[in-house]
Amino acid sequence: MKTKKATTYQLPLIVLSCLLAATIAALIVIWTVFGTSRSPSEDKYENTTFAMGTYLVQTVYGGADSKSRTEAASAATSAINELEQHISWRQTDSDIQKLNNSAGKASVSLHEDTVSILETALDVAQRTEGAYDPTILPLSLLWNFDAGGTTVPDPSALKEHLQYVDYTQLQLDKQNASAFLKKKHFAVDLGAIGKGAACDAAIDAYRKTDISCGIVASGGSVGVYGKKADGSPWAIGIRNPNSDDTSAAMGTLSIEDGFVSTSGTYERYFQQDGVTYHHILNPKTGYPADTDLVSVTVHCDNGALSDALSTACLVLGTERSQSLLASYNADAIFITKENQVIVSDGLKDCFTITESSFTLQT
Ligand code: ADP
Ligand code: MG
């Protein structure tokens, strides 16, 4: 009886042991399959820092291990910090601060990155006849949006400062890597091109590493690098200009490569006497740009260019932007004050509206 009883209780124990062993074996197999050849989403590194007065958000994929991904992101951050040291008018002894301080007096030597950005800036300024103007600083300082300005400047002060905004007073000597502001009071502000240039710097940094792909966003500019492991395009949300929620999107742009920059009247603004004043200025009037548009997103193969173009198009309006974009082989998504969305041919197949209050104009 004892033996039988013992046998009765021993059998389930053996079964349980077998089950346990089988479960452990199965877990080992699952871990081996999924733990060592992880999905691409697990082979990524996300990093958010602050640079150029805004958030710098990076996601990098692939590479030998997590260390290479971390290093790729930090190489991009360093490159952007270095770029900021050269091109920000706020940074002590930056190329641009020296240029501004030497206005009407002397030319200054420039780092090659500053030369390249000024070259793009002047090219866009010429093609837009100053709708985008890198010598906007006297005017942008007067409005002071960057430091939270909330009042319309005095009209006489606006008139006075407007005389000091003229890109033809900025001379770039590419060969000697130098620049000169011909008259005093003139000053350069690369705020409308810098974040796109930061994306260029990040993508250049990724190229020197072993990561397989990545995406970087600096304020309203985004750059993508490489192909995603699953072959899907990079999906970029286009900000809903009518929402105060900075993460609210009105549509999705899917791209394989290149750079995307958005400029919008909703970005920095204040209201006075029932009128809204925003931070993108019309250098011809001295006042915020007032066209049919509230937002422009530009896609092209260079970050600095996409950034300068998005600002320029917002100043020009939909009609006048068309030949400019064509001349650069760039594409755009325009959002009008009436929530109409105009998408250029090159983006028609890769843009989807996700917010029903917007209508695609065909
Ligand atoms: P964001 O800074 O929101 O990304 P933009 O790229 O359009 O938007 O740049 C806006 C900044 O560019 C302003 O804060 C100002 O410093 C500068 N700016 C404003 N109007 C112009 C203009 N017409 N041309 C060149 N720069 C401009
Ligand atoms: Mg811009």
Side-chain angles (χ1 to χ4, degrees), residues 2-18:
K2 255 186 186 171
T3 315
K4 200 181 172 195
K5 201 176 178 185
T7 311
T8 310
Y9 284 99
Q10 267 169 8
L11 258 181
L13 268 179
I14 287 168
V15 172
L16 276 176
S17 307
C18 288

Side-chain angles (χ1 to χ4, degrees), residues 170-323:
L170 171 61
Q171 246 174 8
L172 176 67
D173 183 345
K174 241 183 100 177
Q175 221 136 40
N176 292 311
S178 67
F180 178 44
L181 280 164
K182 292 192 250 175
K183 290 188 193 148
K184 66 174 185 176
H185 301 306
F186 280 77
V188 167
D189 166 10
L190 297 177
I193 194 170
K195 289 167 218 134
C199 293
D200 286 324
I203 302 296
D204 282 349
Y206 296 161
R207 266 194 203 106
K208 294 176 194 143
T209 72
D210 68 343
I211 62 154
S212 55
C213 58
I215 182 164
V216 59
S218 171
S221 292
V222 176
V224 301
Y225 166 71
K227 302 266 172 267
K228 288 210 278 179
D230 63 3
S232 64
W234 300 97
I236 297 165
I238 304 302
R239 167 103 185 254
N240 181 346
N242 302 330
S243 172
D244 286 336
D245 176 359
T246 54
S247 63
M250 55 69 67
T252 308
L253 176 63
S254 301
I255 55 164
E256 302 280 349
D257 48 35
F259 298 83
V260 172
S261 292
T262 300
S263 288
T265 58
Y266 52 81
E267 200 60 57
R268 264 165 280 163
Y269 65 90
F270 64 83
Q271 283 173 330
Q272 188 176 307
D273 302 327
V275 181
T276 302
Y277 298 89
H278 64 85
H279 76 306
I280 296 170
L281 305 168
N282 181 343
K284 302 284 178 262
T285 63
Y287 284 85
D290 187 15
T291 64
D292 57 331
L293 297 171
V294 288
S295 155
V296 185
T297 297
V298 173
H299 175 242
C300 65
D301 61 5
N302 180 277
L305 183 60
S306 69
D307 198 359
L309 285 179
S310 68
T311 308
C313 291
L314 201 84
V315 177
L316 290 171
T318 310
E319 286 284 318
R320 293 173 65 208
S321 295
Q322 302 306 319
S323 56

